[in-house]
Structures are given as structure tokens and as C-alpha cells.
Amino acid sequence: MHNPPHPGEFIREVYMEPFDITGRKLAQKLGVSPSTLSRLLKGSSGVSSEMALRLSKALGRSAESWLAMQDNYELWQARDSVNLDAVEKIEFDAA
């Protein structure tokens, strides 16, 4: 499996760059401040439930798909950085 893109990277590459949409224009269409959108586009913040709804209405795709993209990105990052050596599996008895 490949490293999934951060939703902000996806938005830049699929929507903004090909259609020459500025961050300011997209922020206006989303009803958020330019700084809020900038943090998402830079990857320093993620897609919240509220932002997923806004992205869904403005850009398309379901809100669930925007949240899934964020979850996939975060899970990939966690797999690369979380040490699970001290975690032990619990064996449940079949009664």
C-alpha cells in the first residue's frame, strides 16, 4: 500500500491547481477564513466533521469520503511512528 495523501494535498492537486482556484476563493466558497483553509492545505490541521460537510458541498464527494481520507492518512502516519512492542494481545476464552 502506498502512503495516502493528506486531504489538503489532494485538494490542491485535484481541485485547486488544475482549475486555477486560489486559496482565498476556496476559503470564501467554504465559508471559512483563509487561515483555516491554509492550515488544512499545508497539512498542519486535518479534516473535521464540519469541514468534511463544507468540502462535500463545495467540491463534491461525500462527507464520509473526506473523513475517510483523513483517517487513512493518520493511520498510515501512526503505523510508521507508533511503537507497539509493549502492547500484548489479550486471549479471550471461548466459553
Side-chain angles (χ1 to χ4, degrees), residues 49-66:
S49 298
E50 178 184 323
M51 182 61 83
L53 291 169
R54 292 173 184 274
L55 290 168
S56 178
K57 183 168 183 183
L59 300 177
R61 303 173 58 98
S62 68
E64 292 83 1
S65 72
W66 288 108

Side-chain angles (χ1 to χ4, degrees), residues 16-92:
M16 295 178 72
E17 292 168 3
F19 299 100
D20 200 30
I21 299 172
T22 65
R24 195 165 290 279
K25 180 178 178 182
L26 181 55
Q28 179 185 22
K29 296 292 185 183
L30 290 169
V32 299
S33 71
S35 62
T36 296
L37 179 61
S38 178
R39 285 191 298 276
L40 175 62
L41 295 175
K42 291 178 182 175
S44 60
S45 70
V47 173
S48 65
S49 298
E50 178 184 323
M51 182 61 83
L53 291 169
R54 292 173 184 274
L55 290 168
S56 178
K57 183 168 183 183
L59 300 177
R61 303 173 58 98
S62 68
E64 292 83 1
S65 72
W66 288 108
L67 291 173
M69 188 182 301
Q70 182 68 44
D71 286 343
N72 288 335
Y73 173 80
E74 290 176 4
L75 185 56
W76 180 271
Q77 299 300 315
R79 282 189 173 126
D80 193 43
S81 63
V82 174
N83 182 340
L84 299 175
D85 291 345
V87 178
E88 296 180 30
K89 181 174 173 99
I90 299 171
E91 299 296 334
F92 295 97

